[in-house]
Short mmCIF file of all heavy atoms in Angstrom, two decimals:
data_model
loop_
_atom_site.label_atom_id
_atom_site.label_comp_id
_atom_site.label_asym_id
_atom_site.label_seq_id
_atom_site.Cartn_x
_atom_site.Cartn_y
_atom_site.Cartn_z
N MET A 3 -12.90 12.56 -5.62
CA MET A 3 -11.65 12.23 -4.98
C MET A 3 -10.70 11.62 -6.05
O MET A 3 -11.08 10.67 -6.71
CB MET A 3 -11.92 11.26 -3.87
CG MET A 3 -10.91 11.33 -2.72
SD MET A 3 -11.00 12.78 -1.65
CE MET A 3 -12.36 12.31 -0.57
N ALA A 4 -9.52 12.11 -6.14
CA ALA A 4 -8.54 11.64 -7.13
C ALA A 4 -8.01 10.27 -6.78
O ALA A 4 -7.70 10.05 -5.56
CB ALA A 4 -7.37 12.64 -7.27
N LYS A 5 -7.93 9.39 -7.74
CA LYS A 5 -7.29 8.06 -7.45
C LYS A 5 -5.83 8.31 -7.24
O LYS A 5 -5.22 9.14 -7.91
CB LYS A 5 -7.55 7.18 -8.67
CG LYS A 5 -8.93 6.46 -8.65
CD LYS A 5 -9.12 5.57 -9.79
CE LYS A 5 -8.10 4.41 -9.76
NZ LYS A 5 -8.29 3.44 -10.87
N PRO A 6 -5.20 7.45 -6.41
CA PRO A 6 -3.72 7.65 -6.25
C PRO A 6 -2.99 7.27 -7.55
O PRO A 6 -3.44 6.40 -8.29
CB PRO A 6 -3.39 6.63 -5.14
CG PRO A 6 -4.52 5.74 -5.00
CD PRO A 6 -5.73 6.47 -5.56
N GLU A 7 -1.94 8.00 -7.89
CA GLU A 7 -1.17 7.75 -9.06
C GLU A 7 0.18 7.13 -8.79
O GLU A 7 0.68 7.28 -7.68
CB GLU A 7 -0.95 9.15 -9.77
CG GLU A 7 -2.14 9.80 -10.34
CD GLU A 7 -1.75 11.03 -10.97
OE1 GLU A 7 -1.49 12.01 -10.27
OE2 GLU A 7 -1.77 11.14 -12.21
N ASP A 8 0.67 6.49 -9.79
CA ASP A 8 2.00 5.83 -9.70
C ASP A 8 3.05 6.86 -9.95
O ASP A 8 3.73 6.84 -11.10
CB ASP A 8 2.06 4.69 -10.73
CG ASP A 8 3.24 3.70 -10.39
OD1 ASP A 8 4.11 4.08 -9.60
OD2 ASP A 8 3.23 2.61 -10.97
N ILE A 9 3.29 7.71 -8.96
CA ILE A 9 4.34 8.74 -9.17
C ILE A 9 5.28 8.72 -7.97
O ILE A 9 4.95 8.14 -6.92
CB ILE A 9 3.73 10.21 -9.22
CG1 ILE A 9 2.87 10.47 -8.05
CG2 ILE A 9 2.96 10.33 -10.62
CD1 ILE A 9 2.26 11.91 -7.99
N ARG A 10 6.47 9.22 -8.19
CA ARG A 10 7.54 9.18 -7.17
C ARG A 10 7.11 9.73 -5.80
O ARG A 10 7.39 9.11 -4.74
CB ARG A 10 8.75 9.98 -7.66
CG ARG A 10 9.87 10.01 -6.74
CD ARG A 10 10.43 8.69 -6.42
NE ARG A 10 11.33 8.66 -5.29
CZ ARG A 10 12.61 8.53 -5.43
NH1 ARG A 10 13.24 8.42 -6.54
NH2 ARG A 10 13.38 8.56 -4.30
N GLU A 11 6.40 10.77 -5.85
CA GLU A 11 5.91 11.42 -4.61
C GLU A 11 5.09 10.41 -3.77
O GLU A 11 5.19 10.36 -2.56
CB GLU A 11 5.02 12.67 -4.97
CG GLU A 11 4.56 13.46 -3.81
CD GLU A 11 3.56 14.54 -4.18
OE1 GLU A 11 3.50 14.85 -5.43
OE2 GLU A 11 2.77 15.01 -3.37
N ASN A 12 4.21 9.70 -4.41
CA ASN A 12 3.35 8.75 -3.72
C ASN A 12 4.10 7.51 -3.26
O ASN A 12 3.89 6.96 -2.26
CB ASN A 12 2.17 8.31 -4.65
CG ASN A 12 1.16 9.45 -4.83
OD1 ASN A 12 1.19 10.40 -4.09
ND2 ASN A 12 0.35 9.37 -5.81
N TRP A 13 5.11 7.05 -4.06
CA TRP A 13 5.98 5.98 -3.66
C TRP A 13 6.69 6.41 -2.36
O TRP A 13 6.81 5.64 -1.42
CB TRP A 13 7.04 5.69 -4.78
CG TRP A 13 8.13 4.76 -4.35
CD1 TRP A 13 9.30 5.09 -3.85
CD2 TRP A 13 8.00 3.31 -4.33
NE1 TRP A 13 9.98 3.95 -3.53
CE2 TRP A 13 9.24 2.82 -3.85
CE3 TRP A 13 6.97 2.38 -4.68
CZ2 TRP A 13 9.45 1.47 -3.66
CZ3 TRP A 13 7.28 1.04 -4.54
CH2 TRP A 13 8.48 0.59 -4.00
N ASP A 14 7.23 7.62 -2.33
CA ASP A 14 7.88 8.11 -1.10
C ASP A 14 7.06 8.10 0.10
O ASP A 14 7.40 7.71 1.17
CB ASP A 14 8.48 9.50 -1.34
CG ASP A 14 9.61 9.47 -2.37
OD1 ASP A 14 10.20 8.40 -2.67
OD2 ASP A 14 10.00 10.62 -2.80
N ILE A 15 5.78 8.54 -0.11
CA ILE A 15 4.78 8.54 1.02
C ILE A 15 4.64 7.10 1.49
O ILE A 15 4.67 6.77 2.72
CB ILE A 15 3.45 9.10 0.57
CG1 ILE A 15 3.57 10.61 0.39
CG2 ILE A 15 2.36 8.86 1.65
CD1 ILE A 15 2.37 11.26 -0.31
N CYS A 16 4.47 6.15 0.62
CA CYS A 16 4.27 4.79 0.96
C CYS A 16 5.45 4.20 1.67
O CYS A 16 5.31 3.41 2.64
CB CYS A 16 3.98 3.96 -0.30
SG CYS A 16 3.41 2.26 -0.04
N MET A 17 6.61 4.60 1.26
CA MET A 17 7.88 4.02 1.78
C MET A 17 8.32 4.81 3.03
O MET A 17 9.35 4.41 3.67
CB MET A 17 8.96 4.03 0.75
CG MET A 17 8.65 2.95 -0.35
SD MET A 17 8.69 1.30 0.40
CE MET A 17 7.06 0.76 -0.10
N GLN A 18 7.70 5.92 3.41
CA GLN A 18 8.12 6.72 4.56
C GLN A 18 7.26 6.25 5.74
O GLN A 18 6.46 7.05 6.23
CB GLN A 18 8.07 8.15 4.28
CG GLN A 18 9.30 8.62 3.39
CD GLN A 18 9.11 10.01 2.77
OE1 GLN A 18 8.03 10.63 3.00
NE2 GLN A 18 10.01 10.40 1.98
N GLY A 19 7.42 5.05 6.16
CA GLY A 19 6.79 4.65 7.41
C GLY A 19 5.35 4.11 7.30
O GLY A 19 4.73 3.86 8.25
N ASN A 20 4.89 3.90 6.01
CA ASN A 20 3.53 3.36 5.86
C ASN A 20 3.65 1.94 5.48
O ASN A 20 3.85 1.13 6.36
CB ASN A 20 2.74 4.25 4.93
CG ASN A 20 2.55 5.64 5.50
OD1 ASN A 20 1.84 5.82 6.52
ND2 ASN A 20 3.24 6.67 5.06
N CYS A 21 3.58 1.56 4.24
CA CYS A 21 3.85 0.17 3.89
C CYS A 21 5.21 -0.35 4.46
O CYS A 21 5.29 -1.45 4.96
CB CYS A 21 3.84 -0.13 2.33
SG CYS A 21 2.13 -0.32 1.72
N SER A 22 6.20 0.50 4.28
CA SER A 22 7.63 0.13 4.65
C SER A 22 7.70 -0.31 6.13
O SER A 22 8.55 -1.16 6.50
CB SER A 22 8.57 1.18 4.30
OG SER A 22 8.28 2.36 5.02
N ALA A 23 6.83 0.31 6.98
CA ALA A 23 6.95 -0.01 8.42
C ALA A 23 5.87 -0.96 8.84
O ALA A 23 5.66 -1.22 10.05
CB ALA A 23 6.78 1.35 9.24
N CYS A 24 5.19 -1.50 8.01
CA CYS A 24 4.03 -2.40 8.29
C CYS A 24 4.51 -3.81 8.53
O CYS A 24 5.35 -4.37 7.87
CB CYS A 24 3.01 -2.38 7.09
SG CYS A 24 1.71 -3.54 7.22
N PRO A 25 3.93 -4.49 9.61
CA PRO A 25 4.35 -5.86 9.92
C PRO A 25 4.03 -6.86 8.78
O PRO A 25 4.62 -7.91 8.67
CB PRO A 25 3.57 -6.16 11.15
CG PRO A 25 2.54 -5.17 11.35
CD PRO A 25 2.98 -3.90 10.52
N THR A 26 3.10 -6.47 7.87
CA THR A 26 2.67 -7.39 6.83
C THR A 26 3.59 -7.19 5.56
O THR A 26 3.62 -8.01 4.69
CB THR A 26 1.25 -7.05 6.41
OG1 THR A 26 0.45 -7.36 7.56
CG2 THR A 26 0.71 -7.95 5.31
N TYR A 27 4.34 -6.09 5.49
CA TYR A 27 5.09 -5.82 4.26
C TYR A 27 6.02 -6.86 3.92
O TYR A 27 6.79 -7.38 4.74
CB TYR A 27 5.86 -4.44 4.50
CG TYR A 27 6.65 -4.12 3.27
CD1 TYR A 27 6.06 -3.49 2.17
CD2 TYR A 27 8.05 -4.28 3.20
CE1 TYR A 27 6.79 -3.19 1.02
CE2 TYR A 27 8.78 -3.97 2.11
CZ TYR A 27 8.11 -3.43 0.97
OH TYR A 27 8.84 -3.11 -0.13
N PRO A 28 6.04 -7.27 2.65
CA PRO A 28 6.95 -8.32 2.13
C PRO A 28 8.37 -7.81 2.02
O PRO A 28 8.73 -7.24 0.97
CB PRO A 28 6.35 -8.74 0.79
CG PRO A 28 5.57 -7.54 0.32
CD PRO A 28 5.11 -6.80 1.56
N LYS A 29 9.11 -7.92 3.11
CA LYS A 29 10.51 -7.32 3.14
C LYS A 29 11.39 -7.98 2.12
O LYS A 29 11.38 -9.12 1.88
CB LYS A 29 11.12 -7.57 4.57
CG LYS A 29 10.47 -6.70 5.66
CD LYS A 29 11.22 -6.78 6.95
CE LYS A 29 10.61 -5.95 7.97
NZ LYS A 29 9.18 -6.16 8.20
N GLY A 30 12.20 -7.03 1.53
CA GLY A 30 13.12 -7.45 0.52
C GLY A 30 12.48 -7.61 -0.91
O GLY A 30 13.26 -7.89 -1.83
N SER A 31 11.23 -7.39 -1.02
CA SER A 31 10.60 -7.58 -2.25
C SER A 31 10.81 -6.30 -3.24
O SER A 31 10.74 -6.50 -4.47
CB SER A 31 9.07 -7.76 -2.06
OG SER A 31 8.42 -6.55 -1.64
N GLY A 32 11.10 -5.16 -2.65
CA GLY A 32 11.22 -3.98 -3.47
C GLY A 32 9.94 -3.50 -3.90
O GLY A 32 9.84 -2.52 -4.72
N GLU A 33 8.85 -4.08 -3.41
CA GLU A 33 7.48 -3.65 -3.83
C GLU A 33 6.95 -2.47 -2.97
O GLU A 33 7.48 -2.19 -1.90
CB GLU A 33 6.52 -4.86 -3.73
CG GLU A 33 6.91 -5.94 -4.66
CD GLU A 33 6.08 -7.15 -4.50
OE1 GLU A 33 5.61 -7.48 -3.34
OE2 GLU A 33 5.79 -7.83 -5.47
N GLY A 34 5.78 -1.93 -3.40
CA GLY A 34 5.15 -0.91 -2.58
C GLY A 34 4.08 -0.27 -3.43
O GLY A 34 3.84 -0.71 -4.56
N LEU A 35 3.43 0.71 -2.85
CA LEU A 35 2.35 1.45 -3.53
C LEU A 35 1.31 0.45 -4.04
O LEU A 35 0.82 0.53 -5.15
CB LEU A 35 2.90 2.30 -4.60
CG LEU A 35 2.20 3.61 -5.01
CD1 LEU A 35 1.86 4.46 -3.76
CD2 LEU A 35 3.00 4.44 -6.04
N PHE A 36 0.95 -0.52 -3.23
CA PHE A 36 0.05 -1.57 -3.60
C PHE A 36 -1.34 -1.06 -3.94
O PHE A 36 -2.03 -1.65 -4.78
CB PHE A 36 -0.07 -2.61 -2.49
CG PHE A 36 1.23 -3.25 -2.10
CD1 PHE A 36 1.85 -2.89 -0.92
CD2 PHE A 36 1.85 -4.16 -2.96
CE1 PHE A 36 3.13 -3.42 -0.53
CE2 PHE A 36 3.12 -4.72 -2.60
CZ PHE A 36 3.70 -4.40 -1.38
N CYS A 37 -1.73 0.03 -3.35
CA CYS A 37 -3.07 0.70 -3.64
C CYS A 37 -3.16 1.15 -5.10
O CYS A 37 -4.23 1.34 -5.64
CB CYS A 37 -3.37 1.76 -2.67
SG CYS A 37 -2.24 3.15 -2.74
N VAL A 38 -1.98 1.34 -5.74
CA VAL A 38 -1.91 1.68 -7.11
C VAL A 38 -1.51 0.57 -8.01
O VAL A 38 -2.12 0.28 -9.04
CB VAL A 38 -0.89 2.85 -7.34
CG1 VAL A 38 -0.82 3.27 -8.77
CG2 VAL A 38 -1.30 4.04 -6.52
N ARG A 39 -0.49 -0.11 -7.61
CA ARG A 39 0.18 -1.18 -8.41
C ARG A 39 -0.47 -2.57 -8.31
O ARG A 39 -0.14 -3.45 -9.06
CB ARG A 39 1.63 -1.24 -8.12
CG ARG A 39 2.36 0.10 -8.39
CD ARG A 39 3.86 -0.03 -8.11
NE ARG A 39 4.55 1.18 -8.50
CZ ARG A 39 5.83 1.42 -8.36
NH1 ARG A 39 6.60 0.41 -7.82
NH2 ARG A 39 6.35 2.55 -8.68
N GLY A 40 -1.30 -2.74 -7.32
CA GLY A 40 -1.93 -4.05 -7.11
C GLY A 40 -1.13 -4.92 -6.13
O GLY A 40 -0.15 -4.45 -5.53
N HIS A 41 -1.53 -6.11 -5.97
CA HIS A 41 -1.08 -7.01 -4.92
C HIS A 41 0.38 -7.42 -5.12
O HIS A 41 0.92 -7.37 -6.25
CB HIS A 41 -1.94 -8.19 -4.71
CG HIS A 41 -1.96 -9.13 -5.91
ND1 HIS A 41 -0.98 -9.92 -6.24
CD2 HIS A 41 -2.93 -9.34 -6.88
CE1 HIS A 41 -1.28 -10.62 -7.31
NE2 HIS A 41 -2.50 -10.21 -7.71
N SER A 42 0.97 -7.87 -4.05
CA SER A 42 2.30 -8.37 -4.07
C SER A 42 2.46 -9.65 -4.89
O SER A 42 1.55 -10.42 -4.96
CB SER A 42 2.79 -8.61 -2.62
OG SER A 42 4.05 -9.20 -2.57
N ALA A 43 3.63 -9.87 -5.37
CA ALA A 43 3.93 -11.17 -6.05
C ALA A 43 4.29 -12.21 -5.04
O ALA A 43 4.37 -13.37 -5.33
CB ALA A 43 5.10 -11.00 -7.04
N ARG A 44 4.49 -11.71 -3.73
CA ARG A 44 4.76 -12.68 -2.67
C ARG A 44 3.58 -13.19 -1.95
O ARG A 44 2.53 -12.56 -2.01
CB ARG A 44 5.65 -11.95 -1.62
CG ARG A 44 7.00 -11.37 -2.20
CD ARG A 44 8.09 -12.34 -1.87
NE ARG A 44 9.38 -11.85 -2.28
CZ ARG A 44 10.25 -11.26 -1.53
NH1 ARG A 44 10.05 -11.18 -0.22
NH2 ARG A 44 11.45 -10.92 -1.98
N PRO A 45 3.64 -14.32 -1.31
CA PRO A 45 2.57 -14.70 -0.46
C PRO A 45 2.47 -13.78 0.78
O PRO A 45 3.54 -13.45 1.35
CB PRO A 45 2.94 -16.14 0.01
CG PRO A 45 4.26 -16.45 -0.51
CD PRO A 45 4.76 -15.33 -1.30
N ILE A 46 1.34 -13.39 1.11
CA ILE A 46 1.13 -12.37 2.19
C ILE A 46 0.36 -12.97 3.36
O ILE A 46 -0.66 -13.64 3.24
CB ILE A 46 0.33 -11.13 1.68
CG1 ILE A 46 1.05 -10.44 0.55
CG2 ILE A 46 -0.08 -10.22 2.82
CD1 ILE A 46 2.29 -9.69 0.93
N GLU A 47 1.06 -12.87 4.56
CA GLU A 47 0.36 -13.22 5.80
C GLU A 47 -0.03 -11.95 6.52
O GLU A 47 0.80 -11.08 6.83
CB GLU A 47 1.34 -13.96 6.67
CG GLU A 47 0.70 -14.81 7.73
CD GLU A 47 1.68 -15.73 8.39
OE1 GLU A 47 2.46 -16.39 7.74
OE2 GLU A 47 1.73 -15.74 9.64
N ARG A 48 -1.37 -11.77 6.71
CA ARG A 48 -1.87 -10.52 7.17
C ARG A 48 -1.61 -10.37 8.62
O ARG A 48 -2.16 -11.11 9.49
CB ARG A 48 -3.36 -10.34 6.88
CG ARG A 48 -3.64 -10.01 5.43
CD ARG A 48 -5.05 -10.09 5.04
NE ARG A 48 -5.60 -11.37 4.95
CZ ARG A 48 -6.86 -11.64 4.55
NH1 ARG A 48 -7.72 -10.67 4.28
NH2 ARG A 48 -7.26 -12.95 4.50
N ARG A 49 -0.79 -9.36 9.04
CA ARG A 49 -0.41 -9.12 10.42
C ARG A 49 -0.70 -7.65 10.83
O ARG A 49 -0.07 -7.11 11.71
CB ARG A 49 1.12 -9.31 10.59
CG ARG A 49 1.56 -10.78 10.25
CD ARG A 49 3.04 -10.87 10.74
NE ARG A 49 3.46 -12.24 10.52
CZ ARG A 49 4.32 -12.61 9.54
NH1 ARG A 49 4.70 -11.70 8.70
NH2 ARG A 49 4.64 -13.86 9.47
N GLY A 50 -1.61 -7.02 10.20
CA GLY A 50 -1.92 -5.61 10.42
C GLY A 50 -1.68 -4.80 9.19
O GLY A 50 -0.90 -5.23 8.33
N CYS A 51 -2.34 -3.68 9.08
CA CYS A 51 -2.21 -2.85 7.82
C CYS A 51 -2.13 -1.39 8.22
O CYS A 51 -2.99 -0.90 8.95
CB CYS A 51 -3.42 -3.05 6.89
SG CYS A 51 -3.40 -2.09 5.42
N ASN A 52 -1.09 -0.69 7.75
CA ASN A 52 -0.92 0.71 8.10
C ASN A 52 -1.70 1.64 7.14
O ASN A 52 -1.59 2.86 7.36
CB ASN A 52 0.56 1.08 7.97
CG ASN A 52 1.40 0.54 9.16
OD1 ASN A 52 0.89 0.05 10.12
ND2 ASN A 52 2.71 0.63 9.03
N CYS A 53 -2.30 1.13 6.14
CA CYS A 53 -2.95 2.06 5.17
C CYS A 53 -3.78 3.10 5.73
O CYS A 53 -3.70 4.29 5.32
CB CYS A 53 -3.76 1.23 4.13
SG CYS A 53 -2.68 0.29 2.91
N PRO A 54 -4.64 2.83 6.73
CA PRO A 54 -5.47 3.91 7.26
C PRO A 54 -4.74 5.06 7.93
O PRO A 54 -5.29 6.14 8.18
CB PRO A 54 -6.40 3.21 8.32
CG PRO A 54 -6.46 1.78 7.81
CD PRO A 54 -5.04 1.51 7.25
N GLU A 55 -3.41 4.84 8.26
CA GLU A 55 -2.60 5.85 8.81
C GLU A 55 -1.82 6.66 7.70
O GLU A 55 -1.19 7.61 7.99
CB GLU A 55 -1.53 5.27 9.70
CG GLU A 55 -1.99 4.14 10.67
CD GLU A 55 -2.96 4.56 11.61
OE1 GLU A 55 -2.88 5.71 12.09
OE2 GLU A 55 -3.82 3.79 11.99
N CYS A 56 -1.95 6.20 6.51
CA CYS A 56 -1.19 6.76 5.40
C CYS A 56 -1.85 8.03 4.87
O CYS A 56 -3.07 8.05 4.61
CB CYS A 56 -1.10 5.75 4.30
SG CYS A 56 -0.32 6.35 2.81
N PRO A 57 -1.12 9.13 4.66
CA PRO A 57 -1.69 10.38 4.13
C PRO A 57 -2.28 10.25 2.73
O PRO A 57 -3.31 10.89 2.44
CB PRO A 57 -0.46 11.33 4.00
CG PRO A 57 0.61 10.73 4.86
CD PRO A 57 0.33 9.27 4.99
N LEU A 58 -1.79 9.33 1.95
CA LEU A 58 -2.38 9.06 0.61
C LEU A 58 -3.76 8.40 0.73
O LEU A 58 -4.64 8.69 -0.03
CB LEU A 58 -1.40 8.17 -0.22
CG LEU A 58 -1.61 8.12 -1.67
CD1 LEU A 58 -1.31 9.54 -2.27
CD2 LEU A 58 -0.68 7.12 -2.27
N TRP A 59 -3.86 7.55 1.66
CA TRP A 59 -5.14 6.81 1.94
C TRP A 59 -6.23 7.91 2.19
O TRP A 59 -7.38 7.78 1.68
CB TRP A 59 -4.96 5.88 3.09
CG TRP A 59 -6.02 4.80 3.30
CD1 TRP A 59 -6.10 3.58 2.71
CD2 TRP A 59 -7.11 4.86 4.17
NE1 TRP A 59 -7.10 2.87 3.17
CE2 TRP A 59 -7.79 3.61 4.04
CE3 TRP A 59 -7.64 5.82 5.08
CZ2 TRP A 59 -8.94 3.26 4.82
CZ3 TRP A 59 -8.75 5.50 5.82
CH2 TRP A 59 -9.42 4.25 5.66
N THR A 60 -5.93 8.84 3.05
CA THR A 60 -6.83 9.88 3.44
C THR A 60 -7.12 10.83 2.32
O THR A 60 -8.29 11.06 1.89
CB THR A 60 -6.33 10.68 4.67
OG1 THR A 60 -5.99 9.77 5.67
CG2 THR A 60 -7.36 11.66 5.16
N LYS A 61 -6.03 11.28 1.67
CA LYS A 61 -6.21 12.25 0.58
C LYS A 61 -6.96 11.69 -0.60
O LYS A 61 -7.72 12.47 -1.20
CB LYS A 61 -4.68 12.57 0.04
CG LYS A 61 -4.62 13.59 -0.97
CD LYS A 61 -3.16 13.91 -1.27
CE LYS A 61 -3.00 14.15 -2.73
NZ LYS A 61 -1.58 13.99 -3.14
N CYS A 62 -6.80 10.49 -0.91
CA CYS A 62 -7.52 9.86 -2.13
C CYS A 62 -8.82 9.19 -1.71
O CYS A 62 -9.44 8.56 -2.55
CB CYS A 62 -6.61 8.90 -2.81
SG CYS A 62 -5.14 9.70 -3.47
N GLY A 63 -9.21 9.29 -0.45
CA GLY A 63 -10.48 8.72 -0.07
C GLY A 63 -10.55 7.18 -0.21
O GLY A 63 -11.58 6.66 -0.54
N LEU A 64 -9.38 6.55 0.04
CA LEU A 64 -9.38 5.07 -0.03
C LEU A 64 -10.17 4.49 1.13
O LEU A 64 -10.28 5.19 2.17
CB LEU A 64 -7.94 4.63 -0.05
CG LEU A 64 -7.07 5.10 -1.23
CD1 LEU A 64 -5.72 4.52 -1.16
CD2 LEU A 64 -7.71 4.77 -2.56
N SER A 65 -10.65 3.27 1.01
CA SER A 65 -11.45 2.76 2.12
C SER A 65 -11.11 1.30 2.45
O SER A 65 -11.56 0.73 3.38
CB SER A 65 -12.94 2.83 1.78
OG SER A 65 -13.18 2.13 0.56
N GLU A 66 -10.23 0.72 1.56
CA GLU A 66 -9.77 -0.70 1.80
C GLU A 66 -8.48 -0.76 2.60
O GLU A 66 -7.77 0.25 2.79
CB GLU A 66 -9.62 -1.34 0.42
CG GLU A 66 -10.88 -1.39 -0.43
CD GLU A 66 -11.93 -2.32 0.16
OE1 GLU A 66 -11.63 -3.35 0.74
OE2 GLU A 66 -13.13 -1.99 -0.02
N MET A 67 -8.17 -2.03 2.97
CA MET A 67 -6.90 -2.27 3.54
C MET A 67 -6.31 -3.53 2.90
O MET A 67 -6.92 -4.14 2.03
CB MET A 67 -7.08 -2.59 5.08
CG MET A 67 -7.51 -1.35 5.86
SD MET A 67 -8.16 -1.77 7.48
CE MET A 67 -6.73 -2.35 8.36
N TYR A 68 -5.09 -3.80 3.22
CA TYR A 68 -4.40 -5.05 2.68
C TYR A 68 -4.33 -5.06 1.21
O TYR A 68 -4.62 -6.08 0.54
CB TYR A 68 -5.00 -6.30 3.25
CG TYR A 68 -4.82 -6.49 4.70
CD1 TYR A 68 -5.83 -6.30 5.61
CD2 TYR A 68 -3.56 -6.83 5.21
CE1 TYR A 68 -5.69 -6.46 7.01
CE2 TYR A 68 -3.37 -6.99 6.59
CZ TYR A 68 -4.42 -6.84 7.48
OH TYR A 68 -4.27 -6.93 8.78
N TYR A 69 -4.03 -3.91 0.55
CA TYR A 69 -3.83 -3.91 -0.87
C TYR A 69 -2.75 -4.80 -1.38
O TYR A 69 -2.84 -5.30 -2.48
CB TYR A 69 -3.52 -2.43 -1.33
CG TYR A 69 -4.70 -1.52 -1.14
CD1 TYR A 69 -4.67 -0.55 -0.11
CD2 TYR A 69 -5.86 -1.56 -1.89
CE1 TYR A 69 -5.70 0.30 0.16
CE2 TYR A 69 -6.89 -0.66 -1.73
CZ TYR A 69 -6.79 0.23 -0.61
OH TYR A 69 -7.85 1.12 -0.42
N CYS A 70 -1.72 -5.03 -0.54
CA CYS A 70 -0.64 -5.94 -0.91
C CYS A 70 -1.19 -7.40 -0.99
O CYS A 70 -0.64 -8.19 -1.73
CB CYS A 70 0.49 -5.96 0.12
SG CYS A 70 -0.08 -6.39 1.81
N PHE A 71 -2.28 -7.68 -0.36
CA PHE A 71 -2.84 -9.05 -0.45
C PHE A 71 -4.03 -9.07 -1.42
O PHE A 71 -4.09 -9.99 -2.23
CB PHE A 71 -3.41 -9.39 0.96
CG PHE A 71 -4.11 -10.69 1.10
CD1 PHE A 71 -3.40 -11.84 1.14
CD2 PHE A 71 -5.49 -10.71 1.18
CE1 PHE A 71 -4.15 -13.14 1.17
CE2 PHE A 71 -6.11 -11.94 1.24
CZ PHE A 71 -5.49 -13.13 1.22
N LYS A 72 -4.89 -8.11 -1.37
CA LYS A 72 -6.13 -8.16 -2.20
C LYS A 72 -5.97 -7.46 -3.57
O LYS A 72 -6.85 -7.66 -4.38
CB LYS A 72 -7.23 -7.41 -1.43
CG LYS A 72 -7.65 -8.02 -0.14
CD LYS A 72 -8.91 -7.47 0.44
CE LYS A 72 -8.74 -6.10 0.92
NZ LYS A 72 -9.90 -5.62 1.77
N GLY A 73 -4.97 -6.70 -3.72
CA GLY A 73 -4.87 -5.86 -4.92
C GLY A 73 -5.62 -4.59 -4.79
O GLY A 73 -6.12 -4.24 -3.67
N ASN A 74 -5.76 -3.88 -5.88
CA ASN A 74 -6.30 -2.50 -5.78
C ASN A 74 -7.68 -2.44 -6.53
O ASN A 74 -8.16 -1.39 -6.83
CB ASN A 74 -5.39 -1.43 -6.36
CG ASN A 74 -4.96 -1.75 -7.83
OD1 ASN A 74 -5.27 -2.81 -8.36
ND2 ASN A 74 -4.43 -0.77 -8.49
N LYS A 75 -8.24 -3.64 -6.87
CA LYS A 75 -9.51 -3.51 -7.57
C LYS A 75 -10.64 -3.49 -6.52
O LYS A 75 -10.48 -4.10 -5.47
CB LYS A 75 -9.69 -4.73 -8.46
CG LYS A 75 -8.63 -4.95 -9.51
CD LYS A 75 -8.73 -3.89 -10.63
CE LYS A 75 -7.66 -4.03 -11.66
NZ LYS A 75 -6.34 -3.48 -11.26
N PRO A 76 -11.74 -2.79 -6.79
CA PRO A 76 -12.86 -2.66 -5.82
C PRO A 76 -13.38 -4.05 -5.45
O PRO A 76 -13.32 -4.96 -6.29
CB PRO A 76 -13.93 -1.86 -6.55
CG PRO A 76 -13.30 -1.29 -7.73
CD PRO A 76 -12.04 -2.12 -8.04
S1 SF4 B 104 -0.98 -2.57 1.85
FE1 SF4 B 104 -1.44 -2.41 4.09
S2 SF4 B 104 -1.00 -4.52 4.80
FE2 SF4 B 104 0.09 -4.31 2.92
S3 SF4 B 104 2.13 -3.65 3.39
FE3 SF4 B 104 0.88 -1.82 2.92
S4 SF4 B 104 0.17 -1.13 4.88
FE4 SF4 B 104 0.85 -3.18 5.18
S1 SF4 B 105 -2.55 3.57 1.09
FE1 SF4 B 105 -1.31 1.73 1.71
S2 SF4 B 105 -0.52 0.91 -0.10
FE2 SF4 B 105 -1.18 2.94 -0.62
S3 SF4 B 105 0.56 4.26 -0.35
FE3 SF4 B 105 -0.51 4.29 1.60
S4 SF4 B 105 0.46 2.62 2.84
FE4 SF4 B 105 1.08 2.32 0.67
#
């Protein structure tokens, strides 16, 4: 299974109703694609995670949630 890449196409997927629509998303941070780029620079309060609904999560065989909080390391 291919690891997700830091490419525009994946950013768009993340920002089309996945991280961008998540109650946990750090609004105004300009961040995203946490499963690739690692955790947010902001303090994160976990209020639910949309990752399992994200096409990239399924396509790349990801299994974690809250990448914005935990980062992208196993
Ligand atoms: S990584 Fe998960 S919890 Fe964090 S903003 Fe994205 S969907 Fe929400
Ligand atoms: S798996 Fe989560 S962090 Fe990665 S692109 Fe999808 S919604 Fe964003």
Side-chain angles (χ1 to χ4, degrees):
M3 208 72 82
K5 278 182 64 176
E7 290 181 288
D8 196 345
I9 56 174
R10 178 62 194 256
E11 183 190 342
N12 290 343
W13 171 265
D14 289 347
I15 291 170
C16 190
M17 289 297 119
Q18 281 161 6
N20 294 293
C21 277
S22 60
C24 175
T26 300
Y27 181 75
K29 287 190 179 55
S31 67
E33 297 175 326
L35 208 50
F36 301 107
C37 61
V38 178
R39 297 182 177 178
H41 64 74
S42 173
R44 299 264 182 101
I46 296 292
E47 199 172 312
R48 286 175 283 183
R49 298 191 176 104
C51 178
N52 287 351
C53 287
E55 319 296 328
C56 173
L58 198 63
W59 196 85
T60 308
K61 183 177 142 198
C62 295
L64 301 179
S65 57
E66 299 289 327
M67 293 166 67
Y68 293 106
Y69 294 103
C70 60
F71 176 76
K72 296 193 287 193
N74 62 345
K75 303 287 180 282

